[in-house]
Amino acid sequence: MSIVPSLDDWNRQSVNVMQAMLGMISPNFRMVTLDHDGTQWIIGFVLESVNAEDREELADFEAEWDALQSGPTPRDLQVSFTAGSLAWPSAPTRALYRRREVMLIQE
């Protein structure tokens, strides 16, 4: 069964992601996004490189996010690693965090 989250749902889950992230963001984190596919929330993390400490933080994030829910809430945590350029996510995906990066312009 497909559902369409309300604006209140989007806002609540955005705040929940941000609350669960408190203290976990390292310089390795490039972007954090929130999306919904009709059945579950998709929380995306883009990291620059594989790092054991950040992996542990992501495991803690899952427990923190689950604890902020009012009941069982389907979710999928997606972690990717890239040092290449990042595209801004298209709607309805929300970018909740994106680190400042210097873009070099080639002439």
Side-chain angles (χ1 to χ4, degrees):
M1 176 172 87
S2 182
I3 61 164
V4 177
S6 69
L7 180 58
D8 284 343
D9 293 333
W10 276 98
N11 291 340
R12 183 180 330 100
Q13 294 305 341
S14 295
V15 170
N16 286 346
V17 169
M18 294 171 74
Q19 289 291 309
M21 286 190 325
L22 287 174
M24 77 175 266
I25 299 294
S26 74
N28 193 35
F29 282 77
R30 296 186 67 202
M31 185 163 51
V32 179
T33 59
L34 178 67
D35 197 4
H36 196 279
D37 68 1
T39 60
Q40 64 184 351
W41 292 100
I42 301 168
I43 306 164
F45 291 91
V46 179
L47 282 72
E48 187 167 8
S49 61
V50 177
N51 176 298
E53 186 175 328
D54 289 335
R55 284 287 204 181
E56 186 176 317
E57 290 290 343
L58 289 168
D60 291 344
F61 169 86
E62 288 182 282
E64 293 287 334
W65 190 83
D66 288 343
L68 292 167
Q69 305 306 310
S70 58
T73 305
R75 57 125 170 99
D76 183 29
L77 205 68
Q78 297 180 350
V79 181
S80 60
F81 303 92
T82 183
S85 63
L86 284 179
W88 194 259
S90 56
T93 303
R94 290 185 178 188
L96 301 179
Y97 169 81
R98 181 155 179 181
R99 78 177 186 194
R100 180 176 20 184
E101 297 181 353
V102 177
M103 296 180 61
L104 300 176
I105 299 175
Q106 305 262 334
E107 292 185 33

